[in-house]
């Protein structure tokens, strides 16, 4: 009996997680092939080197727990790959907000900046508690989705959004609270808002639904860098990996799918039984345009923000005892967030005292700022971080600018409904084709891992059901 073949299109963490799950759960006669358009696996996971030491040029950490309080999908995968002994946690957890020309600690008791105790945020923003009245029914209808900023502005006022929620969401999505879906970016709060009559009560209910033991670490990373996860996943999957292999067409055949791979002038045609499509929404929509037009329409409108990560190696820098800081857009700075790597992560501290500072630049809708040359971005970061700290930083001995074009999905209200519709259309018409990745299920390593694993499980079920 001929061997069956599954193609994973996209070698980011979602695609690699799918490949590992396929290897673990699929029958032994299934061959797995990963097609990656770029020259490197891992997507936004990329460990590099600066001034003789490791540094993350992409994502730097993962959540340790899932929303229900169990082990996150990222930790479970790391354990599966034999890397659990490498997990390390931040040495310094306190971060700050850059407001009014100085640094103020990010207040505790908030849910992505939305306060559960209004008194705790008063030093940073002035809430309007009188607006958060009980209107006699839940804040959110059963099937309703709204922008985060719309809800919070109406209930707590502009300052809470501009000085707390916006920089917190901007640090994750590079987007604005006034544009981002509550259901997608803050699902726990959305669930509570379908029951509670005030925002304060909804925040407290969401926090109570996901309790965390005191002292339990929220984030982790890997000693040696997150690229070790990428390498270990690729190896564990046993997949054949093709780099610089762009999949340009996807055509259904009687028994499965035909992939057109490579340059137009010299394409390769590959027949497979099933496909996990783990690429961003717009490339996925292009591939689906002819074979699943309804699904393509649902996902094709998703927009993305571009960012640049500027890392500076600073000799003898005197940094505050903080993990970093966030910058509200109202402060007028190019930098939207900064991380003091060698302060935050104890395993990265260097005996020579060299400090690594990484700043994130670029907000959705402001991409023209990213057209500046690397040297200009690095100089601006150095100047702005110095100003926020109130003292000039030493001249860097090394620097690196990593540009991520179209990196962060911008989930507008109704996003999850659109994804459900797209997947339903695919499930009905093409059960051996699945979508996975941040464009559909959310950002963050655990979410992407779970997305890839779920797609793999559904492919296995489809293959078993088809008898192929």
């Amino acid at each position: 009996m001929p061997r069956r073949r599954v193609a994973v299109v996209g070698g980011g963490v979602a695609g690699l997680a799918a490949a590992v799950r396929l290897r673990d759960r699929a029958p032994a006669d299934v061959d797995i092939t990963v097609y990656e358009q770029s020259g490197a696996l891992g997507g936004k996971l990329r460990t590099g080197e600066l001034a003789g030491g490791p540094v993350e040029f992409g994502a730097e950490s993962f959540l340790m727990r899932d929303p229900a309080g169990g082990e996150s999908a990222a930790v479970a995968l790391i354990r599966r790959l034999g890397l659990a002994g490498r997990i390390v946690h931040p040495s310094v957890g306190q971060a700050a907000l850059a407001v009014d020309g100085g640094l103020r600690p990010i207040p505790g008791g908030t849910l992505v900046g939305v306060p559960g105790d209004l008194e705790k945020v008063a030093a940073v923003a002035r809430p309007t508690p009188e607006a958060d009245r009980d209107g006699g029914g839940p804040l959110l209808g059963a099937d309703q989705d709204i922008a985060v900023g719309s809800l919070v502005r109406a209930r707590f006022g502009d300052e809470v959004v501009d000085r707390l929620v916006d920089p917190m969401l901007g640090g994750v999505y590079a987007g604005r609270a006034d544009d981002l879906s509550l259901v997608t970016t803050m699902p726990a709060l959305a669930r509570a808002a379908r029951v509670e009559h005030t925002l304060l009560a909804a925040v407290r209910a969401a926090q109570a639904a996901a309790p965390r033991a005191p002292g339990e670490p929220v984030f982790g990373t890997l000693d040696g860098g997150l690229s070790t996860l990428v390498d270990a996943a690729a190896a564990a999957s046993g997949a054949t990996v093709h780099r610089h292999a762009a999949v340009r067409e996807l055509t259904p055949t009687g028994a499965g799918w035909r992939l057109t791979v490579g340059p137009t002038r010299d394409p390769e045609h590959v027949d497979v039984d099933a496909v996990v499509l783990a690429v961003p929404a717009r490339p996925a929509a292009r591939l689906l345009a002819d074979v699943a037009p309804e699904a393509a329409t649902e996902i094709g409108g998703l927009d993305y923000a571009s960012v640049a990560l500027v890392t500076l190696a600073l000799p003898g820098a005197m940094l505050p005892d903080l993990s970093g800081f966030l910058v509200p857009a109202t402060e007028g700075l190019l930098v939207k967030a900064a991380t003091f790597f060698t302060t935050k992560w104890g395993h990265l501290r260097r005996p020579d005292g060299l400090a690594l500072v990484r700043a994130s630049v670029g907000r959705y809708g402001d991409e023209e700022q990213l057209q500046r040359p690397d040297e200009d971005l690095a100089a601006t970061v150095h100047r702005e971080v110095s100003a926020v700290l109130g003292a000039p930083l030493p001249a860097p001995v090394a620097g690196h600018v990593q540009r991520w074009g179209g990196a962060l999905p911008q989930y507008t209200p109704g996003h999850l409904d659109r994804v459900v519709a797209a997947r339903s259309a695919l499930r009905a018409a093409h059960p051996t084709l699945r979508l996975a990745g941040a464009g559909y299920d959310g950002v963050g390593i655990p979410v992407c891992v779970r997305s890839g694993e779920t797609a793999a499980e559904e492919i296995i079920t489809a293959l078993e059901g088809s008898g192929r």
Side-chain angles (χ1 to χ4, degrees):
M1 187 172 179
R3 296 182 66 82
R4 291 175 289 180
R5 302 181 68 184
V6 178
V8 177
V9 182
V13 68
L16 293 175
V20 173
R21 182 57 59 94
L22 286 165
R23 175 57 59 216
D24 288 347
R25 303 281 179 88
D29 67 342
V30 171
D31 291 331
I32 307 160
T33 305
V34 175
Y35 295 92
E36 169 54 40
Q37 179 173 333
S38 74
L41 296 176
K44 307 305 180 297
L45 275 61
R46 184 175 302 177
T47 307
E49 183 178 299
L50 188 66
V55 65
E56 299 296 351
F57 292 152
E60 63 159 305
S61 62
F62 47 83
L63 286 167
M64 294 295 295
R65 295 287 172 188
D66 67 15
E71 187 175 73
S72 78
V75 174
L77 177 60
I78 288 166
R79 196 177 304 285
R80 154 69 180 87
L81 298 175
L83 298 174
R86 291 194 179 192
I87 295 177
V88 292
H89 306 293
S91 305
V92 175
Q94 179 64 58
L97 285 164
V99 292
D100 299 331
L103 290 176
R104 299 184 191 179
I106 293 178
T110 75
L111 188 66
V112 197
V114 186
D117 184 334
L118 299 184
E119 291 184 0
K120 288 185 176 180
V121 306
V124 175
R126 294 165 295 182
T128 55
E130 65 278 2
D132 192 30
R133 294 185 298 269
D134 185 342
L139 294 172
L140 211 61
D143 300 314
Q144 185 184 4
D145 187 14
I146 60 175
V148 176
S150 176
L151 175 64
V152 182
R153 285 190 195 279
R155 291 279 164 169
F156 289 158
D158 292 342
E159 279 201 2
V160 171
V161 175
D162 295 338
R163 289 182 162 223
L164 277 168
V165 182
D166 213 46
M168 295 284 275
L169 285 174
V172 177
Y173 300 99
R176 299 300 302 269
D178 293 318
D179 302 321
L180 293 170
S181 155
L182 178 71
V183 171
T184 307
T185 63
M186 302 176 69
L189 183 58
R191 286 192 294 271
R194 300 193 196 286
V195 177
E196 302 294 339
H197 294 197
T198 68
L199 183 53
L200 197 61
V203 172
R204 291 172 177 173
Q207 291 170 329
R212 183 168 60 90
E216 183 179 86
V218 176
F219 297 102
T221 193
L222 293 180
D223 189 5
L226 290 174
S227 284
T228 60
L229 165 61
V230 174
D231 296 340
S237 73
T240 301
V241 176
H242 295 291
R243 296 173 176 82
H244 300 293
V247 175
R248 294 191 296 102
E249 292 181 21
L250 195 59
T251 309
T253 64
W257 298 91
R258 173 162 291 178
L259 278 60
T260 301
V261 186
T264 305
R265 64 182 180 278
D266 188 24
E268 177 186 4
H269 299 290
V270 181
D271 290 332
V272 299
D273 296 282
V275 178
V276 174
L277 203 54
V279 296
R282 285 185 173 178
R286 287 194 291 270
L287 290 171
L288 295 176
D290 292 332
V291 300
E294 181 181 346
T297 299
E298 294 289 355
I299 66 174
L302 181 66
D303 208 356
Y304 286 74
S306 298
V307 297
L309 300 177
V310 180
T311 309
L312 304 177
L314 306 166
M318 300 296 292
L319 300 175
D321 194 26
L322 296 167
S323 60
F325 61 83
L326 299 171
V327 185
T330 51
E331 293 296 303
L333 300 182
L334 184 64
V335 170
K336 67 181 179 66
T339 302
F340 305 145
F341 264 98
T342 40
T343 303
K344 179 177 180 179
W345 301 103
H347 70 289
L348 294 179
R349 291 178 187 164
R350 298 172 49 136
D352 59 6
L354 196 69
L356 296 178
V357 175
R358 190 180 82 173
S360 177
V361 172
R363 293 180 172 89
Y364 179 67
D366 200 21
E367 281 79 8
E368 70 273 8
Q369 297 288 350
L370 299 180
Q371 303 306 313
R372 303 185 187 187
D374 286 0
E375 297 78 8
D376 189 3
L377 286 180
T380 301
V381 164
H382 186 273
R383 182 177 65 254
E384 291 189 352
V385 174
S386 295
V388 169
L389 296 181
L393 290 169
V397 296
H400 181 272
V401 177
Q402 179 69 51
R403 297 172 185 270
W404 293 108
L408 296 171
Q410 301 298 295
Y411 310 113
T412 55
H415 170 77
L416 289 189
D417 289 339
R418 293 188 287 272
V419 171
V420 167
R423 283 177 164 152
S424 296
L426 283 180
R427 195 172 288 113
H430 303 294
T432 56
L433 175 62
R434 286 293 180 269
L435 296 169
Y440 319 105
D441 298 311
V443 301
I445 297 172
V447 176
C448 290
V449 168
R450 186 173 300 282
S451 179
E453 291 173 345
T454 300
E457 296 280 3
E458 293 180 349
I459 287 293
I460 294 166
T461 299
L463 289 177
E464 290 171 347
S466 68
R468 289 205 291 271

